[in-house]
């Protein structure tokens, strides 16, 4: 514009009329620049107002959705806590003959689930944003807000952590012996309160030195055979051997019945839960080959209370460690503990 003005002045010096006309032509660019600057300011103000309104409205929408998700999480937490009460509530319900006694059957999805303690798990529903997985070149605070809420609500904390005994045939509990015994006793309360003895039978083999810690479980109806003539509990080598022989025949019979069948084998009832607290009384018994085969057709789950990892059967599927705040994990997924 300056160069044009200088050229016009030089060219129009001989003619005042021409100079006036050319000077007037300079007004248009200046007016245009001023108008463009004012329009840019208005556009910027409108854009900021729009973003503010968008953030307020979308933020309100996100908060409403977060409240809905938290309500689902609270309901999930309440249901799981009610269906998996702590051991003391189970004992109290037993003394009062609660209606929830033995209410869990083989048709229920949580059949054979036992409570280990309090933990966390994923939200029972999947939450996704409308543009989930889309690629964006620029960051957007509104979209990032949705992603942050999804990540914050993905996990439900302070819920009963459960061990599905029906999914794993071999489970090992390792760590401090007193903590181990306390945990397994609580698991027994959870198991025997929720499941009837017609669906679940318990077999216990322990060293004679631990008789005082375990002898109280002899009163559980889950430890008797179907004729109420024989108790599945042993505290010495001879009793353990007779018990193993008896149950070996039973497991072989189940294995034979499933051989040659079509389709996926169905786990038979009652489901037997072996608690092997004595390695010395059981390691040379024939039944160990069946208990460590991880064959779901046998309808059996074995808890090995052998103190440390080096004493466990090689085929062990799940491990509970009581020395690290009590955590459980699949043996092949040691980094994925809960």
């Amino acid at each position: 514009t300056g160069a044009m003005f200088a050229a016009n002045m030089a060219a129009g010096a001989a003619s005042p009329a021409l100079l006036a006309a050319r000077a007037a032509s300079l007004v248009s660019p200046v007016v245009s620049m001023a108008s463009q600057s004012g329009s840019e300011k208005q556009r910027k103000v409108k854009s900021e107002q729009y973003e503010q309104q968008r953030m307020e409205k979308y933020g309100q929408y996100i908060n409403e959705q977060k409240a809905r998700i938290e309500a689902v999480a609270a309901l999930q937490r309440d249901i799981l806590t009610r269906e998996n009460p702590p051991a003391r509530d189970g004992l109290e319900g037993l003394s009062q003959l609660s209606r929830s006694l033995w209410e869990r059957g083989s048709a229920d999805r949580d059949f054979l689930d036992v409570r280990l303690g309090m933990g966390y798990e994923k939200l029972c529903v999947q939450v996704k944003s409308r543009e989930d997985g889309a690629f964006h070149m620029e960051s957007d605070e509104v979209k990032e807000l949705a992603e942050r809420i999804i990540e914050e609500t993905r996990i439900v904390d302070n819920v009963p952590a459960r061990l599905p005994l029906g999914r794993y045939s071999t489970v090992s509990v390792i760590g401090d012996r007193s903590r181990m015994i306390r945990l397994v006793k609580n698991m027994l309360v959870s198991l025997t309160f929720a499941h009837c003895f017609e669906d679940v039978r318990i077999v216990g083999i322990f060293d004679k030195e631990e008789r005082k810690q375990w002898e109280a479980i002899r009163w559980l109806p889950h430890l008797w055979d179907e004729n109420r003539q024989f108790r599945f509990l042993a505290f010495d080598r001879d009793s353990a051997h007779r018990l193993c022989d008896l149950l070996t025949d039973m497991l072989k019979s189940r294995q034979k019945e499933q051989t040659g069948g079509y389709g996926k084998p169905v786990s038979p009832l009652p489901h037997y839960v072996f608690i092997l607290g004595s390695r010395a009384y059981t390691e040379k018994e024939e039944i160990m080959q069946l208990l460590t085969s991880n064959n779901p057709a046998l309808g059996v789950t074995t808890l090995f209370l052998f103190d440390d990892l080096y004493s466990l059967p090689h085929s062990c599927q799940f491990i509970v460690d009581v020395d690290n705040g009590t955590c459980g994990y699949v043996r092949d997924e040691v980094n994925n503990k809960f």
Side-chain angles (χ1 to χ4, degrees):
T1 302
M4 288 177 61
F5 180 74
N8 285 332
M9 289 290 291
S15 175
L18 182 60
L19 178 63
R22 293 188 176 181
S25 67
L26 299 177
V27 176
S28 178
V30 174
V31 172
S32 176
M33 291 177 62
S35 175
Q36 183 178 0
S37 177
S39 176
E40 181 68 20
K41 289 182 180 179
Q42 292 179 357
R43 188 192 68 79
K44 186 176 181 181
V45 170
K46 290 182 178 180
S47 177
E48 291 176 351
Q49 291 176 347
Y50 170 77
E51 285 298 324
Q52 182 178 359
Q53 293 176 357
R54 178 171 175 259
M55 192 67 182
E56 290 176 355
K57 290 183 178 181
Y58 197 77
Q60 181 180 358
Y61 168 77
I62 288 294
N63 289 332
E64 292 174 353
Q65 301 308 308
K66 183 180 180 181
R68 291 181 60 190
I69 297 171
E70 290 176 344
V72 173
L75 181 61
Q76 179 178 346
R77 184 181 299 110
D78 178 67
I79 292 175
L80 290 176
T81 303
R82 187 169 61 251
E83 292 183 346
N84 301 273
R88 60 178 178 274
D89 290 356
L91 293 175
E92 183 178 349
L94 178 62
S95 64
Q96 298 176 358
L97 293 180
S98 170
R99 292 178 59 184
S100 58
L101 178 66
W102 298 344
E103 68 175 355
R104 194 172 298 175
S106 58
D108 296 324
R109 59 171 180 79
D110 54 355
F111 180 63
L112 295 173
D113 284 6
V114 295
R115 172 172 168 152
L116 290 178
M118 298 301 289
Y120 57 89
E121 66 176 40
K122 292 182 180 180
L123 188 69
C124 60
V125 296
Q126 185 179 11
V127 181
K128 299 171 62 178
S129 63
R130 292 186 176 180
E131 298 186 4
D132 193 20
F135 178 79
H136 301 282
M137 290 293 293
E138 299 179 358
S139 61
D140 189 325
E141 292 184 2
V142 171
K143 295 174 182 176
E144 290 175 355
L145 177 62
E147 295 172 358
R148 187 166 65 250
I149 296 300
I150 291 175
E151 183 63 26
E152 290 176 357
T153 57
R154 184 174 60 87
I155 297 296
V156 182
D157 59 359
N158 198 31
V159 298
R162 283 114 44 225
L163 170 60
L165 296 179
R167 185 185 307 171
Y168 304 109
S169 299
T170 47
V171 178
S172 294
V173 186
I174 61 174
D176 178 76
R177 193 71 182 181
S178 60
R179 291 184 190 145
M180 180 194 305
I181 293 174
R182 189 181 311 119
L183 174 65
V184 175
K185 282 184 176 180
N186 286 339
M187 292 170 62
L188 277 175
V189 173
S190 173
L191 183 67
T192 58
F193 179 76
H195 302 82
C196 178
F197 59 87
E198 294 182 353
D199 293 331
V200 176
R201 295 270 165 76
I202 297 171
V203 181
I205 300 177
F206 307 98
D207 289 324
K208 59 182 179 181
E209 292 81 7
E210 292 185 344
R211 187 183 189 98
K212 289 184 178 180
Q213 285 95 326
W214 294 104
E215 63 180 354
I217 69 172
R218 70 186 187 275
W219 301 113
L220 290 171
H222 304 71
L223 270 83
W224 290 91
D225 69 338
E226 59 183 6
N227 297 320
R228 305 293 188 271
Q229 300 296 319
F230 189 83
R231 185 183 281 125
F232 301 137
L233 188 62
F235 292 104
D236 59 74
R237 190 179 299 274
D238 291 339
S239 299
H241 180 69
R242 289 194 298 270
L243 181 56
C244 288
D245 281 349
L246 174 67
L247 294 172
T248 297
D249 295 337
M250 182 272 298
L251 294 180
K252 283 184 176 181
S253 176
R254 285 187 170 187
Q255 187 179 43
K256 187 176 180 180
E257 290 175 359
Q258 295 288 346
T259 303
Y262 294 96
K264 186 178 179 180
V266 178
S267 181
L269 292 177
H271 190 92
Y272 282 80
V273 177
F274 283 71
I275 305 176
L276 303 185
S278 174
R279 183 182 181 186
Y281 295 167
T282 57
E283 61 181 351
K284 295 182 180 181
E285 294 291 340
E286 182 184 2
I287 197 173
M288 290 295 288
Q289 297 180 5
L290 295 168
L291 297 181
T292 57
S293 66
N294 293 327
N295 183 1
L298 298 179
V300 59
T301 300
T302 306
L303 301 181
F304 299 97
L305 315 186
F306 288 174
D307 297 339
D308 59 70
L309 283 170
Y310 302 102
S311 304
L312 303 182
H314 181 70
S315 59
C316 180
Q317 296 175 309
F318 195 90
I319 295 175
V320 179
D321 186 354
V322 300
D323 284 342
N324 293 292
T326 303
C327 62
Y329 57 94
V330 178
R331 181 166 183 162
D332 297 333
E333 301 176 11
V334 66
N335 294 324
N336 188 21
K337 300 180 180 180
F338 71 90

